[in-house]
Amino acid sequence: MDLSSFITSLVTSFIIFVILMILFAWLCTKPGNAVVYYPNRILKGLDPSDGSRSSTRNPFAWIREAYSSSEQDVVALSGVDSAVYFVFLSTVFGILLLSGMLLLPVLVPLHMTEKNPNIKDSTGKNAFDDLDKLSMAHLKEKSPRLWASVIACYWVSIVSYVLLWRAYKHVSDLRAEALSSLEAKPEQFAVVVRDIPLSSEASSRKEQVDTYFKTIYPDTFYKSLVVTDNTEVNKIYEELEDYKKKLRRAETIYADSKKVNPEGVPPTHKTGFLGLVGKKVDSIEYYKGKIEELTPKLESAQKSTFRGKQQGSAVVVFTNRVTAASAGQSAHARMIDTWTVTDAPEPRQILWNNLPKTYYERETRQYVVYFIVFLTICFYMIPIGIISAFTTLPNLKKLLPFTKPVLNVDIIRTVLGAYLPQLALIVFLALLPAFLLFLSKAEGIASQSHAERAASGKYFYFSVFNVFIGVTIGGTLFDSLKDIEKHPNSILDKLATSLPGNATFFITFVALKFFVGYGLELSRIVPLIIFHLKRKYLCKTEEDLKDAWLPGDLGYATKIPNDMLVVTITLCYSVIAPLIIPFGAIYFGLGWLVFRNQVLKVVVPKYESYGKMWPHIHIRMLASLLLFQATMLGYFGTKKFIYAPAIIPLPVMTLVFGFVCSRKFYRFFQSTALEVVASHDMKDRPDMETVYKSFIPPSLRGEKSPAEEFEEGV
Amino acid sequence: MDLSSFITSLVTSFIIFVILMILFAWLCTKPGNAVVYYPNRILKGLDPSDGSRSSTRNPFAWIREAYSSSEQDVVALSGVDSAVYFVFLSTVFGILLLSGMLLLPVLVPLHMTEKNPNIKDSTGKNAFDDLDKLSMAHLKEKSPRLWASVIACYWVSIVSYVLLWRAYKHVSDLRAEALSSLEAKPEQFAVVVRDIPLSSEASSRKEQVDTYFKTIYPDTFYKSLVVTDNTEVNKIYEELEDYKKKLRRAETIYADSKKVNPEGVPPTHKTGFLGLVGKKVDSIEYYKGKIEELTPKLESAQKSTFRGKQQGSAVVVFTNRVTAASAGQSAHARMIDTWTVTDAPEPRQILWNNLPKTYYERETRQYVVYFIVFLTICFYMIPIGIISAFTTLPNLKKLLPFTKPVLNVDIIRTVLGAYLPQLALIVFLALLPAFLLFLSKAEGIASQSHAERAASGKYFYFSVFNVFIGVTIGGTLFDSLKDIEKHPNSILDKLATSLPGNATFFITFVALKFFVGYGLELSRIVPLIIFHLKRKYLCKTEEDLKDAWLPGDLGYATKIPNDMLVVTITLCYSVIAPLIIPFGAIYFGLGWLVFRNQVLKVVVPKYESYGKMWPHIHIRMLASLLLFQATMLGYFGTKKFIYAPAIIPLPVMTLVFGFVCSRKFYRFFQSTALEVVASHDMKDRPDMETVYKSFIPPSLRGEKSPAEEFEEGV
């Protein structure tokens, strides 16, 4: 990529960003848009623009607000998981800031002032263009200046160790604080029991579970809730809810029509396909009739579910947090494949369908999924290659001749030339997360948050392998696949030799991500347009309107691997092309500000896992660091630097650091330390019946007393 | 080794065995020897020769008795650990029996009848001597008969999987039964707490521990016992006990002398070095004085120990077995390096000195020990090589010229020629266990049984590496060390090519072990002689006499690796030289009988770990199987058998089998399943004070009420 493309790319990205910022500053002051820009605050019953009314005219007010918010605010408004995400952003920002402070002023002049007469291009001029002169590629082979690069590698690594250690400790504190809080959460009193063996003695599963746990915990056992096969009851329940919603909508339409015409026009619709064919009926009457018909059907379905469809899995509620925490860590049965007891996830994020899966089914599914993921990671490169081939300008012209006149305009050509490959990559990457989440759920995981963590981990390895390694080695990979098969180590050499050429590509990639990505994120142009369209054409009731603006969650599972990819790219290039460091730093610094704003004002978390994401992030940070160190080792090799082995202690240090960290911190993230939940146990004992009821799925909650029905059902 | 040496070796071994058997049959009928041959029964208060009086004349009576005893007898008289040892012996016996039933009648004729004209020795005759003709070495390269060997490998492996699976299940049942027994054991109510952090708040360690556990277990916490530095108090206590023993002896001597002379001669001794110099004193008076002097000193030392020498470790007693079992499995603190809680070992086997070692000290020690063990395993070969060089007959004659006349006698030369190398090996191996046990204790392990298991594991890898691989590859190893360094896989080829030549050596090695080893074990000649010598010259009191015949335990930690070595040898040769199978089978069958006798009548176990040895045995059995399969793969290679890869699924199957077993069964051996201890929890609640007191070391037990003193001490 030449300098002009590079500058064009940066400038256009920046212009888009500025436009989006202005739009944001203008749009968010309009009261009608408050539900789009402050939904979190509105849902929490807070004043949307609290405290910032005077400064709403100032387009940078949100920055001040985001910056001055404390971690406690984040935890209070959005939970520990969000706070952990900020720890991640600020840790990486810190690493890049400290690295850049040493590397930029030292390495860039060293690279630039090196006189390297060896490499000429065909015209006899120096082959390096202006940007490449700032990179390590410009250093001569065996140059003593490479020592500076060695020291830089150590500096980056040590800064990372120190900041990661502090971050792990900090996250552990956050988790402990949240878990030991006075506010009792239902999941702290419960465990999930799976693999309940078939018993011929007990008359029902419920009796079996009750007997078993009463024997072991005579004093602290409260009640058990056996998981049932809810397919039928869920179907009826959803149908019923749908009719109720439609009834409310019809009533609103009727009431609205009365305002115009005192008589009112009762709404009607056709009962056939999509309301286009069939008999015309009075909507209100029709829906009422349907609801009356379905309600007893639901009740009888609930009863038959309680009775006949109990599965080999249960949620057991204890009267005591310590017992629940310790039960989740203890082996109850002699064999691993019966009576598996684990901590209960939050009721809202339990994946009920996965609970009754048996141990062997889970194990088998896991290995099958791992195999599919392995295939996906390895062979997604093929479509990526095909897409990059199609998205070059000459190919586009050939394939889509009608674009020719547009593509011949100079500015458009430059802009597209700078963007097309990156855009293709970004679009392509957006397709995968849903597939990986589906695979992770298919493993038989018990909770949504765990499934998202698992998907996130898979996505990270995918993106590093395919985007970073794939793009870097690029087309040469297929040609030299046989070479790599023979000498597996040569993949590092290949990576090392191809790295410097791709530095500018990745700088523009990162810049595009933060300027356009964060601009879109902050300005919420897409949700705003969708909301206004929906409000105008679809929404009839207040409920519909709320559904239209209800924000999503942070999208953790896909955000973190994307961020991790930027970490990997920035770390790997940090010493080779230090120019990438400020871009990486902006990515994480700006990200911190933008997401602070989003977390405080917009997004609503779907679940809380008390920072269980952190060990995943930590391990993957170390994987990136390891890749960086290995790449540098290879790159020093291509520079024929005989002191290259001076780098070897670094990967060893990383492995030792990772081992020590996981030994010291990890267990508390796997399960709850007893001292943490014990600290306030005696002070607040919540109403156990409420705790118990919160675990009953909505479709099984009866009109009057769900728990008793459940009891009766046995 | 030629055929005559081989026969000589077997015959002499057998003769020694027969002599020892006759001696045993004769000696054990003498009433005076009852304490040597039936100490276990005597200690348990049973009639020594219960039920067998009529048959004492029959030298084979013990066989019938051993054979007819049930597993329940073993558990009752000697505990689960001993029963597990028999499961091990019978499992291996079963594997070898089933293997032999197919391999001997099929493979031996196939090997023998092969016409192999290729290999001639210098005289033009077939190079194979009679024994080698029975081995696989006699098969031609690429011979289709090798298919039979492939099938044999599968047969041996599958038989092993099936029997090992059944054995693991059986041992797990044994453990569950013992743990859920009605008889309450103190260790089931307690946990060991290590790494107690320094606290500035609590006035003492005891208060700190009490507060901590009372918060977490308000209902089930009973008492804590903080580990103290007992060096001083132990010294005084031992001194005091020594004087008490001497006093009793002096009083007995005085009483005996009164029988001869009504006045009696009060015994005297000199106070100086070894009673040879110094002032002559009246022993009784002197010892009484010393005891009176030391008793208050002990009491004050006990008090100061309670007060001032509390360490960062404690034993915590709960009122409930389930709580103790679940506490041992739960993380109490957020960091792994504080408040480590593990299941308590039996009071008698706690290694008190190791308890206060901190987490980091333990980790460091562990890695240092592993490194030392690694060095030991790798470089003990050098002394083994030197010893084998010295113990050949020509060398002996050269080095010890005075043995020449003896060595020139034909019979002696044959006998020594057959035995010397094996004897050297056996003697050499006897030196190591104590060193390895010392190393294992230095790791900071909390209990004697765990330390012995660790030592046993180290010893296994040592003996397989040094004895089996070392002897097989022998001198060629050093020459070809560089080859192996270059091509690590070539060690398997080397092993494979050297195997057949050593088959007869190992057959005699196994035969020597069981004929002479078991003969000595059963006849107890050495303990008998020592006992009679002591009785005659040293024992004065009844107490002395009891000390003289008190039997040891089974010696588990060294027995199992020795047996495992035989397993490894027999398995590795099973297909190559099937003749070894009957010898291996006799080793384990006879061992089963001999040790049944010992366990029922002689040995007294030092501790009980409820079968925790089994997972160690299981893993090492699989390691042997893996070595067998890898060796066979190499050996088929040297036979240029193109279908050799048909063996490859076997090692994979072994790994999968091992993984599945450890997933399914291992957790219950790591910690106690709650359902097991819960089953009878309510029925028997022992006196908690007794449980608590059993954990107080003898040197800290006061005359009146040790526990209260301990309380006061705080």
Side-chain angles (χ1 to χ4, degrees):
Chain A
M1 189 185 283
D2 58 15
L3 193 60
S4 70
S5 274
F6 177 69
I7 304 267
T8 315
S9 162
L10 287 189
V11 169
T12 37
S13 294
F14 183 70
I15 291 172
I16 294 172
F17 181 68
V18 170
I19 294 171
L20 289 170
M21 282 302 95
I22 295 169
L23 266 176
F24 168 66
W26 177 62
L27 288 169
C28 76
T29 55
K30 307 228 161 201
N33 294 335
V35 288
V36 175
Y37 292 108
Y38 305 97
N40 186 3
R41 297 185 64 84
I42 292 172
L43 285 174
K44 284 238 159 50
L46 300 169
D47 178 22
S49 51
D50 163 58
S52 60
R53 185 150 309 177
S54 60
S55 53
T56 40
R57 302 268 138 204
N58 180 351
F60 300 109
W62 67 271
I63 296 179
R64 223 203 41 234
E65 283 167 39
Y67 187 74
S68 62
S69 65
S70 72
E71 196 165 46
Q72 272 73 42
D73 297 340
V74 174
V75 173
L77 273 159
S78 195
V80 179
D81 286 346
S82 301
V84 166
Y85 183 59
F86 290 108
V87 174
F88 164 63
L89 293 176
S90 59
T91 304
V92 179
F93 181 70
I95 292 172
L96 295 179
L97 202 69
L98 286 173
S99 302
M101 274 163 58
L102 190 84
L103 267 56
L104 279 175
V106 173
L107 290 185
V108 171
L110 276 178
H111 293 163
M112 214 163 53
T113 57
E114 176 94 342
K115 289 198 179 70
N116 192 344
N118 293 335
I119 303 165
K120 309 265 184 191
D121 68 6
S122 53
T123 63
K125 287 203 294 183
N126 197 312
F128 288 99
D129 68 23
D130 305 333
L131 279 170
D132 287 345
K133 274 189 185 155
L134 306 180
S135 89
M136 214 173 129
H138 197 235
L139 291 183
K140 274 182 290 197
E141 282 179 3
K142 297 182 191 172
S143 163
R145 295 189 181 194
L146 287 167
W147 273 111
S149 307
V150 171
I151 293 165
C153 290
Y154 272 88
W155 173 250
V156 172
S157 304
I158 288 165
V159 161
S160 306
Y161 300 147
V162 173
L163 291 186
L164 282 175
W165 178 270
R166 288 178 46 166
Y168 216 142
K169 215 166 188 170
H170 180 63
V171 171
S172 179
D173 289 339
L174 276 177
R175 176 173 164 84
E177 205 177 308
L179 283 175
S180 68
S181 86
L182 285 167
E183 195 194 326
K185 284 125 196 157
E187 66 272 19
Q188 292 188 314
F189 290 88
V191 292
V192 164
V193 184
R194 304 170 89 173
D195 311 317
I196 301 172
L198 281 173
S199 154
S200 50
E201 287 168 35
S203 71
S204 75
R205 289 281 188 183
K206 186 159 170 60
E207 196 188 295
Q208 187 191 1
V209 174
D210 284 356
T211 317
Y212 188 83
F213 281 92
K214 259 182 205 152
T215 316
I216 300 180
Y217 304 99
D219 305 321
T220 47
F221 172 77
Y222 180 70
K223 265 184 188 176
S224 73
L225 175 83
V226 174
V227 174
T228 47
D229 178 5
N230 298 343
T231 333
E232 195 199 332
V233 84
N234 277 348
K235 212 180 130 203
I236 301 173
Y237 177 75
E238 272 157 31
E239 220 176 318
L240 185 63
E241 289 297 303
D242 188 45
Y243 282 127
K244 282 182 183 166
K245 202 170 177 180
K246 281 183 178 157
L247 174 63
R248 280 193 297 274
R249 193 178 292 168
E251 282 170 343
T252 317
I253 295 171
Y254 189 42
D256 286 347
S257 74
K258 271 184 185 164
K259 283 176 205 161
V260 188
N261 173 353
E263 293 260 306
V265 187
T268 56
H269 72 280
K270 287 178 181 166
T271 55
F273 177 72
L274 280 178
L276 296 175
V277 290
K279 213 174 63 169
K280 201 171 182 181
V281 290
D282 181 321
S283 298
I284 296 180
E285 292 301 310
Y286 178 77
Y287 293 137
K288 274 188 179 157
K290 279 285 177 187
I291 290 167
E292 263 166 47
E293 183 190 313
L294 281 174
T295 308
K297 216 169 147 191
L298 178 69
E299 273 169 29
S300 78
Q302 282 176 346
K303 262 177 202 152
S304 77
T305 302
F306 293 138
R307 273 204 200 95
K309 295 182 177 170
Q310 299 191 352
Q311 308 279 306
S313 177
V315 173
V316 172
V317 179
F318 297 101
T319 56
N320 186 305
R321 294 205 290 190
V322 171
T323 311
S326 121
Q329 301 177 48
S330 301
H332 284 67
R334 282 164 44 203
M335 303 296 168
I336 192 82
D337 51 3
T338 53
W339 296 106
T340 314
V341 178
T342 48
D343 288 337
E346 289 177 308
R348 59 179 166 171
Q349 56 159 316
I350 295 182
L351 299 174
W352 291 102
N353 291 333
N354 276 343
L355 288 190
K357 297 211 166 81
T358 65
Y359 181 76
Y360 294 107
E361 194 182 343
R362 264 142 49 208
E363 290 282 301
T364 317
R365 278 165 171 271
Q366 201 178 33
Y367 291 114
V368 171
V369 165
Y370 285 175
F371 184 67
I372 295 175
V373 169
F374 173 77
L375 290 183
T376 311
I377 290 180
C378 288
F379 297 112
Y380 240 53
M381 229 183 318
I382 296 166
I384 283 202
I386 294 169
I387 288 179
S388 343
F390 277 119
T391 50
T392 56
L393 289 183
N395 274 329
L396 264 190
K397 275 188 221 165
K398 220 182 287 168
L399 286 166
L400 309 168
F402 58 87
T403 57
K404 221 171 176 178
V406 185
L407 292 178
N408 283 343
V409 181
D410 253 13
I411 301 177
I412 295 181
R413 202 171 52 216
T414 319
V415 171
L416 279 184
Y419 274 136
L420 260 181
Q422 289 96 319
L423 261 180
L425 200 55
I426 288 171
V427 168
F428 194 79
L429 286 179
L431 294 172
L432 203 71
F435 177 58
L436 291 179
L437 184 61
F438 164 77
L439 282 181
S440 297
K441 283 188 181 169
E443 279 181 45
I445 286 169
S447 74
Q448 179 73 21
S449 64
H450 189 174
E452 292 196 6
R453 283 199 299 280
S456 174
K458 297 181 175 84
Y459 194 39
F460 165 73
Y461 290 112
F462 171 85
S463 61
V464 166
F465 186 76
N466 281 294
V467 181
F468 181 58
I469 299 185
V471 167
T472 308
I473 302 187
T476 64
L477 189 64
F478 286 103
D479 309 335
S480 51
L481 215 60
K482 271 206 170 159
D483 266 22
I484 289 171
E485 216 183 321
K486 275 188 208 146
H487 314 283
N489 291 328
S490 73
I491 198 167
L492 275 182
D493 290 347
K494 248 183 213 332
L495 197 55
T497 45
S498 331
L499 271 177
N502 286 297
T504 42
F505 169 82
F506 280 116
I507 291 179
T508 49
F509 175 73
V510 172
L512 182 69
K513 279 200 94 152
F514 66 72
F515 278 139
V516 180
Y518 291 159
L520 284 173
E521 177 79 42
L522 189 65
S523 62
R524 288 178 66 76
I525 294 292
V526 181
L528 185 79
I529 295 169
I530 292 174
F531 165 70
H532 281 293
L533 285 176
K534 273 191 180 170
R535 191 174 63 167
K536 197 134 192 179
Y537 300 108
L538 287 173
C539 299
K540 305 292 179 193
T541 61
E542 276 298 308
E543 201 185 347
D544 290 348
L545 206 62
K546 195 174 163 189
D547 283 351
W549 59 256
L550 214 61
D553 69 351
L554 205 56
Y556 230 79
T558 48
K559 255 194 192 64
I560 286 176
N562 277 324
D563 296 345
M564 286 302 315
L565 178 63
V566 177
V567 174
T568 311
I569 292 171
T570 319
L571 280 180
C572 285
Y573 279 105
S574 59
V575 174
I576 294 176
L579 207 63
I580 205 170
I581 296 178
F583 288 91
I586 295 174
Y587 179 88
F588 288 98
L590 199 59
W592 191 92
L593 281 177
V594 168
F595 286 113
R596 264 285 153 107
N597 183 72
Q598 302 303 89
V599 158
L600 295 175
K601 296 172 185 165
V602 183
V603 298
V604 175
K606 276 211 195 82
Y607 55 77
E608 172 69 278
S609 71
Y610 302 103
K612 277 196 175 179
M613 192 65 169
W614 184 259
H616 284 240
I617 298 176
H618 182 84
I619 284 290
R620 279 159 192 87
M621 287 288 298
L622 293 183
S624 299
L625 209 55
L626 214 54
L627 187 62
F628 155 59
Q629 291 158 344
T631 313
M632 288 313 296
L633 196 61
Y635 194 58
F636 279 116
T638 63
K639 286 274 169 199
K640 303 212 168 69
F641 186 54
I642 50 161
Y643 302 107
I647 297 287
I648 290 174
L650 278 180
V652 177
M653 271 162 72
T654 305
L655 291 175
V656 170
F657 176 76
F659 177 73
V660 171
C661 279
S662 71
R663 279 298 285 271
K664 184 169 170 73
F665 298 110
Y666 184 50
R667 187 161 183 195
F668 177 51
F669 285 84
Q670 261 185 315
S671 43
T672 311
L674 300 188
E675 66 172 20
V676 168
V677 284
S679 36
H680 302 286
D681 201 45
M682 289 299 93
K683 288 174 198 160
D684 81 312
R685 179 159 290 182
D687 176 32
M688 289 315 299
E689 202 54 33
T690 320
V691 168
Y692 174 68
K693 278 182 193 165
S694 67
F695 279 99
I696 299 174
S699 62
L700 287 180
R701 285 181 198 158
E703 290 294 314
K704 308 161 219 167
S705 165
E708 277 146 42
E709 272 186 45
F710 213 119
E711 302 286 89
E712 281 165 27
V714 179
Chain B
M1 188 184 286
D2 57 15
L3 193 60
S4 71
S5 275
F6 177 69
I7 304 267
T8 316
S9 161
L10 287 189
V11 168
T12 36
S13 293
F14 184 68
I15 290 171
I16 294 172
F17 180 68
V18 169
I19 293 170
L20 289 170
M21 283 301 96
I22 294 169
L23 265 175
F24 168 66
W26 177 61
L27 287 169
C28 76
T29 55
K30 305 228 160 203
N33 292 338
V35 289
V36 175
Y37 291 107
Y38 305 99
N40 186 2
R41 297 185 64 84
I42 292 172
L43 284 174
K44 286 242 157 51
L46 300 169
D47 179 21
S49 51
D50 164 57
S52 60
R53 186 153 306 175
S54 59
S55 54
T56 39
R57 302 267 140 207
N58 180 351
F60 300 109
W62 67 272
I63 295 179
R64 222 203 43 232
E65 282 166 41
Y67 187 75
S68 63
S69 64
S70 72
E71 196 164 46
Q72 271 73 41
D73 297 340
V74 174
V75 173
L77 272 159
S78 195
V80 179
D81 286 345
S82 301
V84 166
Y85 183 59
F86 289 108
V87 174
F88 164 63
L89 293 176
S90 58
T91 305
V92 179
F93 181 70
I95 292 172
L96 295 179
L97 202 69
L98 286 173
S99 303
M101 273 163 57
L102 189 83
L103 267 56
L104 278 176
V106 172
L107 290 186
V108 171
L110 278 178
H111 294 163
M112 214 163 51
T113 56
E114 176 92 344
K115 289 200 180 70
N116 192 345
N118 292 334
I119 304 166
K120 309 266 184 192
D121 69 6
S122 51
T123 62
K125 286 207 298 186
N126 198 313
F128 287 100
D129 67 22
D130 305 334
L131 279 171
D132 287 346
K133 275 190 184 154
L134 306 181
S135 88
M136 213 172 129
H138 196 235
L139 291 182
K140 273 181 291 196
E141 282 182 3
K142 299 180 187 171
S143 162
R145 296 189 181 192
L146 288 166
W147 273 111
S149 307
V150 170
I151 293 164
C153 290
Y154 272 89
W155 174 252
V156 172
S157 304
I158 288 166
V159 161
S160 305
Y161 300 145
V162 173
L163 292 187
L164 281 174
W165 178 271
R166 288 177 47 164
Y168 216 143
K169 215 166 189 167
H170 181 62
V171 171
S172 178
D173 288 339
L174 276 177
R175 177 173 163 85
E177 204 177 311
L179 283 175
S180 68
S181 85
L182 285 166
E183 195 194 328
K185 283 125 196 158
E187 66 272 18
Q188 292 190 313
F189 289 87
V191 292
V192 164
V193 184
R194 306 169 89 173
D195 310 318
I196 301 171
L198 282 172
S199 155
S200 51
E201 287 169 36
S203 71
S204 74
R205 290 281 191 183
K206 187 160 167 60
E207 194 188 295
Q208 188 191 1
V209 174
D210 285 356
T211 316
Y212 189 84
F213 281 94
K214 260 182 205 155
T215 315
I216 299 182
Y217 304 100
D219 305 320
T220 46
F221 173 76
Y222 180 69
K223 264 182 187 176
S224 73
L225 174 84
V226 174
V227 174
T228 47
D229 178 5
N230 298 344
T231 334
E232 195 199 332
V233 84
N234 277 348
K235 213 180 127 202
I236 301 174
Y237 177 74
E238 272 158 30
E239 222 175 316
L240 184 64
E241 289 296 304
D242 188 43
Y243 283 126
K244 282 184 182 164
K245 201 172 180 179
K246 280 181 179 159
L247 174 64
R248 280 194 296 275
R249 193 179 292 168
E251 283 173 342
T252 315
I253 295 170
Y254 188 41
D256 286 347
S257 74
K258 270 186 186 161
K259 283 175 203 159
V260 187
N261 172 353
E263 291 262 309
V265 185
T268 57
H269 72 280
K270 290 178 182 169
T271 56
F273 178 72
L274 279 178
L276 296 175
V277 292
K279 214 175 62 169
K280 201 173 181 178
V281 291
D282 179 318
S283 297
I284 296 180
E285 292 301 312
Y286 178 77
Y287 293 137
K288 274 187 178 159
K290 278 285 177 190
I291 290 167
E292 261 165 47
E293 183 189 312
L294 280 173
T295 308
K297 217 169 145 191
L298 178 68
E299 272 168 28
S300 78
Q302 282 175 345
K303 261 177 203 153
S304 76
T305 302
F306 293 139
R307 272 201 204 99
K309 295 183 177 170
Q310 300 190 354
Q311 308 280 303
S313 177
V315 173
V316 172
V317 179
F318 296 102
T319 56
N320 186 303
R321 295 204 290 189
V322 170
T323 311
S326 118
Q329 301 176 48
S330 301
H332 283 68
R334 281 164 45 203
M335 304 295 168
I336 193 85
D337 50 3
T338 53
W339 296 104
T340 315
V341 178
T342 48
D343 288 337
E346 289 176 309
R348 59 179 166 171
Q349 56 158 318
I350 295 182
L351 299 174
W352 292 101
N353 290 333
N354 275 344
L355 288 191
K357 296 212 165 80
T358 64
Y359 180 76
Y360 294 106
E361 194 183 343
R362 267 149 37 213
E363 290 282 302
T364 318
R365 279 164 171 270
Q366 199 178 30
Y367 290 114
V368 171
V369 165
Y370 286 176
F371 185 65
I372 296 175
V373 169
F374 174 76
L375 291 184
T376 312
I377 290 179
C378 288
F379 298 111
Y380 240 53
M381 230 186 310
I382 296 166
I384 282 201
I386 293 170
I387 288 179
S388 347
F390 276 117
T391 49
T392 56
L393 287 183
N395 273 330
L396 265 189
K397 275 189 222 169
K398 221 183 285 169
L399 287 165
L400 309 168
F402 58 87
T403 57
K404 218 171 178 175
V406 185
L407 292 179
N408 284 342
V409 179
D410 252 14
I411 299 176
I412 295 182
R413 201 168 56 212
T414 319
V415 172
L416 279 185
Y419 274 136
L420 259 183
Q422 289 97 318
L423 261 181
L425 199 56
I426 287 170
V427 167
F428 196 77
L429 287 179
L431 294 172
L432 203 71
F435 177 58
L436 292 177
L437 185 61
F438 164 77
L439 281 180
S440 297
K441 282 186 181 170
E443 279 182 44
I445 285 170
S447 73
Q448 179 73 22
S449 64
H450 189 176
E452 292 196 6
R453 282 199 299 280
S456 172
K458 297 181 175 85
Y459 193 39
F460 165 72
Y461 291 111
F462 171 86
S463 60
V464 165
F465 186 76
N466 281 294
V467 181
F468 180 58
I469 300 184
V471 167
T472 308
I473 303 188
T476 64
L477 187 66
F478 285 102
D479 308 336
S480 50
L481 214 60
K482 270 204 170 161
D483 266 23
I484 289 171
E485 216 183 323
K486 275 186 206 146
H487 314 283
N489 291 328
S490 72
I491 198 167
L492 276 183
D493 292 346
K494 243 177 221 330
L495 197 55
T497 44
S498 329
L499 270 177
N502 286 297
T504 42
F505 169 82
F506 279 116
I507 290 178
T508 49
F509 175 74
V510 172
L512 182 68
K513 279 199 95 157
F514 66 72
F515 277 138
V516 180
Y518 290 158
L520 284 173
E521 177 79 40
L522 189 67
S523 62
R524 287 178 67 77
I525 294 292
V526 181
L528 185 79
I529 293 169
I530 292 173
F531 166 68
H532 281 291
L533 286 176
K534 274 191 179 169
R535 193 175 62 167
K536 196 133 196 177
Y537 301 107
L538 287 172
C539 298
K540 303 293 177 192
T541 61
E542 274 299 309
E543 202 185 347
D544 289 347
L545 207 63
K546 196 176 163 186
D547 283 351
W549 59 256
L550 215 61
D553 69 351
L554 204 56
Y556 228 81
T558 49
K559 251 190 197 69
I560 286 175
N562 277 325
D563 296 343
M564 286 303 313
L565 179 62
V566 177
V567 174
T568 312
I569 292 170
T570 318
L571 279 181
C572 285
Y573 279 105
S574 59
V575 174
I576 294 177
L579 207 62
I580 205 171
I581 296 179
F583 289 90
I586 294 173
Y587 179 88
F588 288 99
L590 199 59
W592 191 91
L593 281 177
V594 168
F595 286 112
R596 264 285 154 103
N597 183 69
Q598 302 302 88
V599 158
L600 294 175
K601 296 174 185 164
V602 183
V603 298
V604 175
K606 276 212 194 82
Y607 54 76
E608 172 69 279
S609 72
Y610 303 103
K612 277 196 175 180
M613 192 67 169
W614 183 258
H616 285 239
I617 297 177
H618 181 84
I619 283 291
R620 281 160 189 86
M621 285 290 297
L622 292 183
S624 299
L625 209 55
L626 214 54
L627 187 62
F628 155 60
Q629 291 158 346
T631 314
M632 287 314 295
L633 196 61
Y635 194 59
F636 280 117
T638 63
K639 285 276 170 200
K640 305 215 165 70
F641 187 56
I642 52 161
Y643 301 109
I647 296 288
I648 291 176
L650 279 180
V652 177
M653 271 162 72
T654 305
L655 292 174
V656 170
F657 176 76
F659 176 73
V660 170
C661 279
S662 72
R663 280 297 286 273
K664 185 168 170 74
F665 298 110
Y666 184 50
R667 190 163 181 191
F668 178 52
F669 286 83
Q670 260 183 317
S671 44
T672 311
L674 300 188
E675 66 172 20
V676 168
V677 284
S679 36
H680 302 286
D681 201 43
M682 291 298 92
K683 287 176 198 157
D684 80 312
R685 179 160 290 181
D687 176 31
M688 289 316 300
E689 203 54 32
T690 320
V691 168
Y692 174 67
K693 277 182 193 165
S694 67
F695 279 98
I696 299 173
S699 63
L700 287 179
R701 286 183 196 157
E703 289 293 316
K704 308 164 222 167
S705 163
E708 276 146 42
E709 271 186 46
F710 212 119
E711 304 286 89
E712 281 163 27
V714 180

